[in-house]
Amino acid sequence: MTESNIFTQYMQKRNVIVKDKKILQSSYIPENLPHRMDKINEVVEIVAPSLNKDKPSNILIIGKTGTGKTAVMNYIGKELRKADPNQDNCAFIYVNCEVVDTPYGILYNMSNQIIEEPNMKIPFTGWSLDRIFSELTKYIDAHDKIYIIVLDEIDRSFQKNGDDIFYFLTTINEVLKYSKVSIIGITNNAKFTEFLSPKIKSRLGEEKIIFPPYNVVQLQDILYERAKFAFDEGVLEPDVVPYCAALSAQEMGDARKALDLLRISADIAERNGDKKVTSAHVRYAKNKIELDAVSEIIKTLTIQSKTVLLSVILNKEDDNEPMTTGDVFTKYKYICDIIGQSALTQRRVAGLISELDMLGIVHARVKSFGRAGRTKEIELSTPKEIVNMIKGDDAFIDFFAYKPPTQTTIC
DNA sequence: CGTCCACTGGAATCAAGGGTCT
DNA sequence: AGACCCTTGATTCCAGTGGACG
């Protein structure tokens, strides 16, 4: 028995309604992937020869977020390891290009999964790409097996950095004598291949598999499949799963969102001390998720970006008219002046606005006013909570403390 | 129908800051 | 220590461009 501490009372009164939290994580790989057996079989059929040291075709997997692409690949990876426990014939490597989206980052990540000897690992910065390429090639060839490399969210990295890595990976087989590499690219952008150079395009897309979005019924099955193990009988009100499924089906059948929704709903119920999860919890969870997503993004913004955003907010508060890039820039310079921050060029600010637009924090569309020029019409599209968060940011304390000499109090 | 404004989009380039290697 | 390497954010330059106005 441990001594009591400040956590004991919490631990004792805590009511637990989720038996096993990790089952509800979207990263968890269930024993059984409902409505995806057909896709699994398609991939297995292509990949299977690797167990006999034959190189499988490269595969390009296309499908919207939350359609099970990653889950299927992880599942296959798990099975592949079961079939070849010592990885004598084939090694399965999974790299998510979204987390690390620089060429070096991807290569670093990938290489260190491939390279097992600790003293041969690649340092996380400092080397030239060429050097990694050649070390990696050498290492791979020395091990005489099939490497299956899964590149998740492949389009992310590509858009930013061109196709160097993919060129390397798709042509590496020409240099290899003993080992072979086969690539499985995962993308949620159906038009991804358009950007590729013809050579890479044909290599990468030797086989294409398309993952359609889930419909409501399928989403329900997926949720029930997990809920079965995560909750005791009767903890979920009967309408909870259908509600989660319905909400997520509206968002392009995203199973990850559906799971998040269920997990967070349960979390909230738990923290409230409720014995059951109800649709009210789900509504609350949906709200929380949306808010968290935006505030997470805001936290990672540069000070400059935040300043631009603040400028947009203030512009909107001054008058509700739609604003232009010029308006935002003027106000932006004004803010910079007060908080003593060097101001960027208009060009750069216009760029930052476009970035904020892509993140969905502001809404901007190009509009032409004929002779009066062409500009972006910018609207703010964030809830109050976020606005307050920006205003409360440390960087702007000085700004809000500052009172222009002529200013009269505004209520 | 052409002009011409006030930006946009893209590309090339720089500087600073992380690091390794010899 | 000095030579290199990669990444990121910012700067600079320049060629468009949609459409209201004349």
Side-chain angles (χ1 to χ4, degrees):
Chain A
M1 202 55 191
T2 51
E3 206 179 322
S4 93
N5 54 49
I6 55 170
F7 294 106
T8 28
Q9 57 156 356
Y10 170 76
M11 291 307 287
Q12 277 160 8
K13 88 160 193 236
R14 204 172 99 100
N15 74 320
V16 177
I17 56 180
V18 187
K19 277 193 295 189
D20 192 347
K21 289 244 156 107
K22 70 171 189 292
I23 293 179
L24 294 179
Q25 301 283 348
S26 44
S27 55
Y28 175 81
I29 312 169
E31 281 308 306
N32 188 350
L33 289 169
H35 303 291
R36 277 302 177 244
M37 277 326 283
D38 52 337
K39 297 295 163 193
I40 291 175
N41 287 333
E42 272 184 60
V43 179
V44 165
E45 214 168 296
I46 300 171
V47 167
S50 65
L51 291 169
N52 298 322
K53 274 195 203 179
D54 285 327
K55 180 197 172 303
S57 301
N58 293 334
I59 310 177
L60 190 61
I61 293 179
I62 302 168
K64 290 257 187 306
T65 43
T67 49
K69 305 182 298 292
T70 307
V72 164
M73 285 324 300
N74 283 329
Y75 181 83
I76 286 172
K78 209 163 99 179
E79 294 294 311
L80 216 47
R81 281 187 201 119
K82 264 191 229 165
D84 183 13
N86 299 323
Q87 308 208 344
D88 293 327
N89 294 328
C90 78
F92 181 88
I93 313 291
Y94 173 88
V95 181
N96 189 326
C97 305
E98 195 187 10
V99 188
V100 277
D101 62 355
T102 63
Y104 195 99
I106 293 169
L107 221 45
Y108 162 77
N109 200 314
M110 188 174 83
S111 307
N112 286 348
Q113 280 190 62
I114 294 176
I115 298 173
E116 281 154 4
E117 290 78 353
N119 57 344
M120 290 178 71
K121 298 263 183 192
I122 287 166
F124 91 100
T125 177
W127 279 21
S128 72
L129 291 177
D130 281 340
R131 178 154 179 206
I132 304 184
F133 284 148
S134 64
E135 291 284 320
L136 195 56
T137 312
K138 220 190 311 170
Y139 186 93
I140 286 177
D141 214 17
H143 283 71
D144 188 18
K145 55 178 133 172
I146 303 292
Y147 286 87
I148 297 175
I149 300 178
V150 180
L151 297 168
D152 205 348
E153 311 277 345
I154 192 173
D155 46 322
R156 295 289 177 141
S157 127
F158 176 77
Q159 281 164 12
K160 268 188 162 176
N161 310 300
D163 48 13
D164 287 8
I165 302 184
F166 308 116
Y167 186 80
F168 166 73
L169 286 173
T170 47
T171 51
I172 185 172
N173 286 325
E174 292 167 9
V175 197
L176 295 174
K177 287 207 187 76
Y178 307 103
S179 297
K180 289 290 168 207
V181 170
S182 92
I183 307 291
I184 301 181
I186 303 181
T187 173
N188 52 34
N189 182 355
K191 285 183 287 185
F192 167 62
T193 50
E194 286 175 17
F195 304 119
L196 295 169
S197 62
K199 191 171 185 186
I200 298 179
K201 191 164 153 183
S202 62
R203 292 246 171 99
L204 206 54
E206 284 171 351
E207 303 271 357
K208 276 187 197 159
I209 299 179
I210 299 194
F211 279 50
Y214 295 110
N215 61 33
V216 187
V217 182
Q218 292 171 332
L219 283 173
Q220 284 191 28
D221 289 343
I222 292 168
L223 291 180
Y224 279 130
E225 179 71 25
R226 307 250 190 148
K228 196 162 72 182
F229 300 106
F231 298 100
D232 277 325
E233 194 88 13
V235 170
L236 292 181
E237 292 267 309
D239 59 344
V240 166
V241 167
Y243 190 43
C244 287
L247 284 177
S248 317
Q250 287 168 11
E251 306 206 18
M252 310 303 298
D254 188 334
R256 189 180 311 164
K257 286 224 175 90
L259 274 167
D260 286 346
L261 208 50
L262 185 59
R263 177 167 41 83
I264 292 175
S265 303
D267 254 12
I268 290 170
E270 235 176 42
R271 242 174 288 158
N272 276 357
D274 298 334
K275 294 279 170 232
K276 288 186 170 191
V277 184
T278 68
S279 55
H281 292 130
V282 179
R283 265 193 296 279
Y284 197 86
K286 182 174 164 53
N287 209 342
K288 180 176 179 337
I289 289 174
E290 282 165 7
L291 212 56
D292 282 357
V294 185
S295 59
E296 201 49 45
I297 293 171
I298 301 243
K299 266 187 221 153
T300 64
L301 291 179
T302 351
I303 299 167
Q304 295 287 8
S305 288
K306 285 187 198 164
T307 314
V308 173
L309 184 52
L310 179 65
S311 162
V312 174
I313 292 170
L314 294 179
N315 253 306
K316 164 147 185 171
E317 286 175 355
D318 283 355
D319 57 64
N320 240 331
E321 305 282 301
M323 66 198 91
T324 67
T325 310
D327 295 339
V328 174
F329 183 62
T330 316
K331 189 122 236 164
Y332 160 81
K333 267 206 304 213
Y334 171 70
I335 300 171
C336 283
D337 229 27
I338 293 172
I339 65 173
Q341 172 182 282
S342 57
L344 303 177
T345 12
Q346 169 143 354
R347 181 67 195 84
R348 183 62 188 140
V349 171
L352 290 178
I353 294 171
S354 303
E355 281 171 28
L356 290 176
D357 179 34
M358 264 189 286
L359 292 170
I361 297 172
V362 302
H363 193 266
R365 58 177 184 283
V366 288
K367 202 183 166 188
S368 174
F369 294 94
R371 217 171 207 184
R374 216 157 80 92
T375 185
K376 273 204 170 102
E377 200 177 71
I378 303 154
E379 285 167 79
L380 192 60
S381 52
T382 41
K384 272 203 304 287
E385 288 88 338
I386 299 300
V387 170
N388 290 334
M389 186 171 157
I390 284 289
K391 284 183 165 179
D393 196 288
D394 291 350
F396 303 132
I397 292 175
D398 286 350
F399 176 74
F400 287 106
Y402 177 80
K403 293 222 172 39
T406 55
Q407 185 174 357
T408 48
T409 321
I410 309 163
C411 350

